[in-house]
Amino acid sequence: MDRITAAQVFVCIAEQGSLSAAAERLDMSRAMVTRYLAEMEGWIGARLFHRSTRRLSLTTAGGLALERCRAMLALAGELPLLGEAQSEQPRGVLRLACAPSLAEALLARAVAAFVERYPGTHVDLQTSDKAVNLVEERIDLAVRITNTLEPGMIARRLADCHSVICAAPAYLARRGRPSTPDELAGHACLTYDYFGSSVWQLGAPGLPAPLAVPVWGPLSSNDACALLQAALAGAGVSLQPLYAVAGHLAAGRLEALLPAYQPRVMGIHAIYLSRQYQPAILRAMLDFLAEWMGQEPALQAPELVLSELSGIAR
């Protein structure tokens, strides 16, 4: 039997805690998992697990073998990339993670254009509002909007993310239009992930530092898409990425507010694990996203975008 596969099965059993869970994770029969485990124990010449009716636990030999098997599998995984790293033709599968709002407004279209350009590729797009663990979730590339990168992360800035304060015409008809940042205190503001309260950072020409504007409203959420839908329904004033609302502004479903004040600009970053032995598909995606976002109209400076949109009350 293949000893590399046997080592993979052994590591999976140790991580999953049972033969059945490993079989399900590996899409393999339990009998085959048992055979590979027996192969490993015969190869090493020692029992690798203490077995009981309820659980498995590593023996001393199993613990030592697990460490060495992981190192061996990591090395084995790098070997095919030595040749692929020299290839200019992307191929294979790339697991990409981002926030749902970013996928809906931008990345789904970008990915569609990427796989059309490179027919030998497949992108598995995973969405979550939480910052995923790239190792645990087996993510090759994460695209995040942030100004705070965790230490040790490898990141490439793809574009700036501009935001706009906006509200639906129906809301403005009921509550009026704020003309200064201070007037936001009298409005129902839809806040992101702060459980009912937030502070919006707003800059303007001539200001020595951004204004920290406390806002409050009847609705907060950790889902940017939910806040956008609430704003469209007339529930309140929302601070939204310009890429997410450009179409709604153009159609008149939302109106931009306080155009003299610029919300804090965030960075759109591509985050990945290693610069060594990058597969061609990852290198191609990084370059593609940088090029694609550089040409995306909704990622341009807000004054340029807003000036091109019709029906926006200033």
Side-chain angles (χ1 to χ4, degrees):
M1 298 179 77
D2 181 358
R3 285 181 171 177
I4 293 293
T5 303
Q8 291 173 329
V9 171
F10 164 56
V11 170
C12 189
I13 295 170
E15 292 175 345
Q16 297 298 313
S18 74
L19 274 68
S20 298
E24 182 177 352
R25 181 66 180 267
L26 295 168
D27 194 21
M28 187 181 291
S29 70
R30 192 179 188 283
M32 185 60 70
V33 167
T34 302
R35 286 182 61 192
Y36 275 119
L37 177 58
E39 173 77 7
M40 278 295 298
E41 291 181 328
W43 179 24
I44 293 173
R47 194 175 185 86
L48 299 177
F49 291 102
H50 297 297
R51 297 173 175 82
S52 70
T53 56
R54 292 188 176 182
R55 63 188 297 269
L56 295 177
S57 59
L58 287 166
T59 63
T60 301
L64 295 172
L66 180 63
E67 180 181 348
R68 286 163 174 76
C69 281
R70 282 174 169 159
M72 179 184 70
L73 292 173
L75 179 60
E78 290 179 358
L79 290 176
L81 300 181
L82 293 175
E84 186 179 339
Q86 306 304 316
S87 171
E88 295 301 320
Q89 184 58 38
R91 59 182 176 84
V93 178
L94 182 80
R95 283 175 60 84
L96 190 156
C98 69
S101 62
L102 189 59
E104 180 179 336
L106 291 178
L107 277 189
R109 290 188 288 116
V111 166
F114 178 84
V115 296
E116 182 177 0
R117 178 182 294 186
Y118 301 109
T121 62
H122 175 94
V123 177
D124 182 3
L125 182 59
Q126 301 289 312
T127 63
S128 173
D129 275 311
K130 295 182 179 179
V132 298
N133 184 299
L134 274 66
V135 175
E136 293 179 0
E137 301 294 329
R138 298 179 294 113
I139 298 298
D140 301 303
L141 178 65
V143 179
R144 296 179 187 166
I145 300 175
T146 182
N147 283 343
T148 306
L149 294 171
E150 298 173 23
M153 280 189 169
I154 301 172
R156 176 174 174 179
R157 193 179 182 107
L158 300 173
D160 291 337
C161 177
H162 298 277
S163 297
V164 62
I165 300 171
C166 56
Y171 173 85
L172 297 175
R174 293 196 317 270
R175 301 288 299 272
R177 178 185 301 272
S179 57
T180 67
D182 290 343
E183 291 182 11
L184 289 172
H187 283 266
C189 294
L190 311 176
T191 57
Y192 180 74
D193 206 25
Y194 285 94
F195 303 100
S197 64
S198 186
V199 175
W200 291 352
Q201 302 285 338
L202 304 179
L207 289 179
L211 298 174
V213 182
V215 294
W216 184 89
L219 174 63
S220 64
S221 177
N222 65 347
D223 185 341
C225 294
L227 294 177
L228 174 56
Q229 292 303 313
L232 289 167
V237 177
S238 184
L239 178 64
Q240 286 284 331
L242 187 54
Y243 67 73
V245 297
H248 298 299
L249 293 170
R253 291 185 290 269
L254 293 173
E255 295 183 17
L257 306 175
L258 302 175
Y261 295 88
Q262 171 60 52
R264 181 175 55 170
V265 178
M266 307 289 282
I268 303 178
H269 294 90
I271 298 170
Y272 49 101
L273 292 173
S274 176
R275 292 189 176 94
Q276 291 185 313
Y277 307 131
Q278 285 184 359
I281 187 174
L282 176 57
R283 298 198 316 273
M285 179 62 84
L286 288 168
D287 292 340
F288 181 89
L289 288 178
E291 175 188 359
W292 192 89
M293 290 189 179
Q295 300 173 354
E296 172 60 31
L299 291 176
Q300 307 309 308
E303 59 271 16
L304 298 177
V305 178
L306 296 177
S307 66
E308 296 177 357
L309 299 176
S310 60
I312 301 177
R314 297 226 171 207

